[in-house]
Amino acid sequence: MPSACDSLIDDIEDMVSSSDPTPLERQSARKSIMPRSRKKKEPLNQEELQTDSLIPGTQKIWMKTWGCSHNNSDGEYMAGQLAASGYKMTDDPTDADLWVLNSCTVKNPAEDHFRNSIRKAQEQQKKVVVAGCVPQAQPRMDYLKGLSIIGVQQIDRVVEVVDEAVKGHSVRLLGQKKDGGRRLGGARLDLPKIRKNPLIEIISINTGCLNACTYCKTKHARGDLASYPIEELVERARQSFQEGVCEIWLTSEDTGAYGRDIGTDLPTLLWRLVEEIPEGAMLRLGMTNPPYILEHLEEMAKILNHPRVYGFLHVPVQSASDSVLMDMKREYCIDDFKKVVDFLKEKVPGVTIATDLICGFPGETEKDFQETVELVKLYRFPSLFINQFYPRPGTPAAKMEQVPAHVKKQRTKELSQLFKSYNPYDHEVGERQHVLVTEESFDAQYYVSHNKFYEQVLVPMRAEFKGKMIEVDIYEAGKHFLKGRPVEDSKPFTPSIAAPLQKGEVSGMTQEPMANGFQGPSSMSSPSHLLIGSYSVDREVLKKLIIGVTLIAAILSYIVEKLYT
């Protein structure tokens, strides 16, 4: 086939003709070459570097928590870690760049609110990170696709997850924490946290439970019982009091089961904690199921009579029918519950027993329901949580034959009307009581305090009362509250051993040297500083330094790229 060239080239040397410049001539010609200057462009003035959208730790975060005290404690820990890493926590969801939604899976309405919040965030172009029991139990739900998830035992890694979500990545951390094969209670208790109320510390003493109730979805999320060691809980309480806390709530899915997995028990923990409570400060015990408190009734009565422990216990019965309790797999009969209540009422005069009831559990007959009605008439519980049964997906109860919806509603209404028919606090009008003031009422008209039996007492909003133990005369009783008039010649008593943190201030953020050279918590230090080695660094200065270095790196990279293109 003929070549496109006029002549064939047999060797590479044949490509050099006699008219071509020699190597020496080419070298000498380079001296006369003048570099041509390029016209400078000004792209940097026209381009804005969106640092806030690129650098994790500079965004605003809004957090919403649903559910129990345990979930609220988790939310406080997550908020504290995010704030400690530089994120700004905001109360305004519209002002936030990212929403952290901490869910509850106990009932359908709570999950519905959670799902609606996700949709609302997406409509507003907000980044979303989800946490709590719903995604832990059902991470493959359609409405969770593409979202970052923090498992209930992974809250100590919330900053990592949020950092990645800010970058547009999806991260899911759902694993369990273990030590030598043994499941742990969860994240460390000494993590930074922002208390919703600076006067109240919520301490989770264990996670999970030993039961397998047929209606419960929380078990799918929290799993089996895993308790924190006593020393860690005592140290957490001690640190809280050093930060101005005057009330501690102990919480878990079942406080009565505490310690069974680590060779101890609830009374042993409580006696240790009582040693740390300052005079005038109070401890409130969380929910306990009847089977486990039965073994410790004598000791529990002594503890509830202690002057620094509220005479209050939340013991959910759910139903007064043994047949229904068996279908629920509650592992006790109604006589067990009555034994607990009767014993504590006798040994702890004035004790408040709160309980829960489920209306319309599958298979509940009218006779079963009336047994529950008679139980309420017998004890006239001052605090009663009435719940219409909701079948939760994946639970055995969801597969049982359901009670018709209208019957469930009617039973819920009947029980609610019975509860409203009596006033449990009328007999206290005229009494003089000591109360601990810790909160503000929803209508912002009163301070909220509690007496020895954790009954709500509304008192005047005087700044000198907040966080104090005061003496009041009870002059009015409502369905859910008492009203107290401060005794004129009585002076408020301060139970806190230190000034409380400011609202929004991070607990455990900074540390100061102890005598032994180790670092210990400082209740008077500011969360605006971060301890790096032995140096205290201003957090805002550090953040600006990081942003500056990042900008310089971006500019240098841009310059290099333009020079070589």
Side-chain angles (χ1 to χ4, degrees):
M1 185 174 181
S3 171
C5 300
D6 293 336
S7 61
L8 294 176
I9 298 177
D10 295 326
D11 194 73
I12 190 70
E13 282 84 1
D14 293 339
M15 294 181 64
V16 182
S17 69
S18 58
S19 61
D20 289 335
T22 64
L24 183 62
E25 291 171 334
R26 283 198 300 270
Q27 182 65 29
S28 61
R30 290 180 182 176
K31 297 177 182 179
S32 61
I33 296 176
M34 296 295 294
R36 185 174 61 186
S37 62
R38 293 183 179 179
K39 187 177 181 180
K40 289 185 178 180
K41 298 180 181 179
E42 299 179 355
L44 294 179
N45 294 334
Q46 300 171 6
E47 295 179 7
E48 291 185 12
L49 293 174
Q50 302 293 332
T51 56
D52 282 355
S53 63
L54 298 174
I55 305 171
T58 61
Q59 291 75 22
K60 293 181 180 179
I61 307 291
W62 178 68
M63 178 175 290
K64 171 69 176 177
T65 294
W66 292 265
C68 63
S69 298
H70 193 166
N71 225 33
N72 276 275
S73 176
D74 287 352
E76 291 181 349
Y77 274 120
M78 288 191 284
Q81 293 171 86
L82 290 168
S85 69
Y87 288 101
K88 292 182 175 65
M89 304 305 296
T90 178
D91 293 328
D92 183 1
T94 60
D95 189 41
D97 302 294
L98 182 144
W99 290 9
V100 177
L101 303 175
N102 188 21
S103 62
C104 171
T105 191
V106 172
K107 294 187 288 187
N108 288 11
E111 184 173 347
D112 291 342
H113 285 302
F114 171 62
R115 185 189 300 110
N116 291 338
S117 294
I118 292 174
R119 183 166 58 248
K120 187 174 181 180
Q122 292 169 335
E123 290 171 354
Q124 296 182 27
Q125 304 299 310
K126 307 290 186 182
K127 291 182 169 62
V128 181
V129 171
V130 295
C133 291
V134 171
Q136 180 73 51
Q138 293 180 289
R140 294 182 178 84
M141 295 289 286
D142 287 342
Y143 67 89
L144 297 178
K145 286 182 178 178
L147 298 181
S148 290
I149 297 176
I150 306 163
V152 294
Q153 286 210 322
Q154 300 292 330
I155 60 171
D156 55 338
R157 301 181 67 184
V158 62
V159 174
E160 298 174 54
V161 177
V162 169
D163 283 351
E164 292 304 314
V166 165
K167 299 173 187 175
H169 303 154
S170 177
V171 179
R172 297 191 167 200
L173 298 179
L174 295 164
Q176 304 292 327
K177 292 195 180 299
K178 295 184 179 180
D179 181 17
R182 184 179 69 84
R183 185 167 176 265
L184 300 178
R188 299 192 336 264
L189 294 173
D190 60 352
L191 295 170
K193 73 186 303 187
I194 296 178
R195 298 185 183 96
K196 187 176 181 181
N197 184 336
L199 298 174
I200 298 175
E201 167 72 1
I202 306 173
I203 302 178
S204 170
I205 63 175
N206 56 268
T207 190
C209 68
L210 295 173
N211 299 332
C213 300
T214 56
Y215 58 83
C216 183
K217 189 71 176 175
T218 306
K219 176 78 172 186
H220 296 189
R222 298 285 181 177
D224 293 327
L225 178 69
S227 305
Y228 285 99
I230 287 180
E231 290 303 325
E232 292 183 18
L233 295 166
V234 170
E235 180 56 37
R236 182 66 203 179
R238 188 179 294 128
Q239 178 190 335
S240 301
F241 290 126
Q242 291 170 352
E243 293 177 335
V245 163
C246 61
E247 185 170 292
I248 283 184
W249 297 356
L250 300 185
T251 184
S252 77
E253 282 65 57
D254 188 351
T255 59
Y258 171 80
R260 286 173 172 256
D261 57 320
I262 57 174
T264 186
D265 55 41
L266 181 62
T268 302
L269 168 65
L270 294 176
W271 285 124
R272 287 290 307 279
L273 287 172
V274 163
E275 296 173 5
E276 302 294 331
I277 303 175
E279 183 181 354
M282 298 296 289
L283 181 146
R284 190 194 80 175
L285 185 60
M287 186 272 288
T288 175
N289 282 311
Y292 307 112
I293 205 68
L294 271 170
E295 298 178 21
H296 308 299
L297 281 179
E298 289 282 355
E299 285 299 298
M300 289 305 301
K302 294 176 185 177
I303 291 166
L304 294 176
N305 274 312
H306 193 283
R308 294 193 290 275
V309 178
Y310 284 119
F312 167 90
L313 200 60
H314 179 193
V315 188
V317 64
Q318 307 301 5
S319 173
S321 164
D322 284 339
S323 173
V324 173
L325 291 174
M326 185 176 297
D327 288 341
M328 290 179 172
K329 289 192 176 180
R330 289 291 287 170
E331 299 184 7
Y332 59 86
C333 64
I334 192 59
D335 285 342
D336 292 333
F337 174 80
K338 289 181 177 179
K339 181 179 179 181
V340 171
V341 177
D342 293 341
F343 184 90
L344 292 178
K345 280 182 169 291
E346 177 186 353
K347 299 295 185 181
V348 189
V351 67
T352 296
I353 301 294
T355 195
D356 301 356
L357 291 168
I358 295 176
C359 295
F361 185 81
E364 181 187 65
T365 64
E366 184 61 29
K367 178 177 178 296
D368 295 328
F369 175 67
Q370 289 305 319
E371 289 176 352
T372 300
V373 170
E374 291 304 315
L375 183 76
V376 176
K377 289 180 179 178
L378 174 64
Y379 290 112
R380 296 167 67 89
F381 300 102
S383 183
L384 181 60
F385 303 96
I386 301 169
N387 303 289
Q388 180 178 315
F389 174 74
Y390 290 96
R392 300 298 289 130
T395 61
K399 301 175 183 177
M400 299 178 182
E401 185 175 353
Q402 303 296 306
V403 172
H406 71 279
V407 175
K408 290 192 290 187
K409 290 180 180 178
Q410 178 57 37
R411 290 175 182 174
T412 303
K413 181 179 179 181
E414 181 179 339
L415 208 54
S416 298
Q417 289 174 340
L418 172 60
F419 176 58
K420 293 175 183 177
S421 69
Y422 58 86
N423 294 316
Y425 305 128
D426 284 352
H427 66 282
E428 296 184 50
V429 174
E431 292 184 1
R432 180 164 291 186
Q433 301 179 350
H434 285 90
V435 297
L436 180 59
V437 183
T438 56
E439 303 173 70
E440 186 177 304
S441 62
F442 288 115
D443 61 5
Q445 299 299 308
Y446 299 92
Y447 275 151
V448 177
S449 65
H450 293 90
N451 60 19
K452 162 65 179 171
F453 304 109
Y454 204 69
E455 295 162 342
Q456 183 173 268
V457 182
L458 304 179
V459 299
M461 287 189 70
R462 298 182 193 169
E464 66 269 23
F465 290 166
K466 193 71 175 289
K468 304 292 195 299
M469 179 75 75
I470 65 174
E471 194 173 19
V472 298
D473 289 323
I474 302 300
Y475 68 90
E476 184 180 333
K479 176 61 182 175
H480 302 285
F481 64 88
L482 297 161
K483 286 185 179 179
R485 184 179 296 110
V487 176
E488 290 185 7
D489 57 350
S490 177
K491 293 184 179 180
F493 177 78
T494 304
S496 300
I497 61 176
L501 301 180
Q502 297 298 311
K503 189 171 180 63
E505 191 172 352
V506 182
S507 161
M509 260 289 295
T510 55
Q511 297 180 320
E512 57 188 14
M514 292 182 176
N516 59 8
F518 290 100
Q519 303 294 325
S522 169
S523 61
M524 302 303 294
S525 52
S526 166
S528 64
H529 285 71
L530 181 67
L531 195 70
I532 301 178
S534 59
Y535 300 96
S536 180
V537 181
D538 186 277
R539 184 169 300 281
E540 288 300 318
V541 170
L542 183 61
K543 187 192 297 184
K544 290 176 181 176
L545 179 62
I546 293 172
I547 293 174
V549 170
T550 306
L551 279 170
I552 292 171
I555 292 170
L556 290 174
S557 175
Y558 180 86
I559 291 172
V560 170
E561 180 184 352
K562 292 298 182 182
L563 284 175
Y564 287 91
T565 57

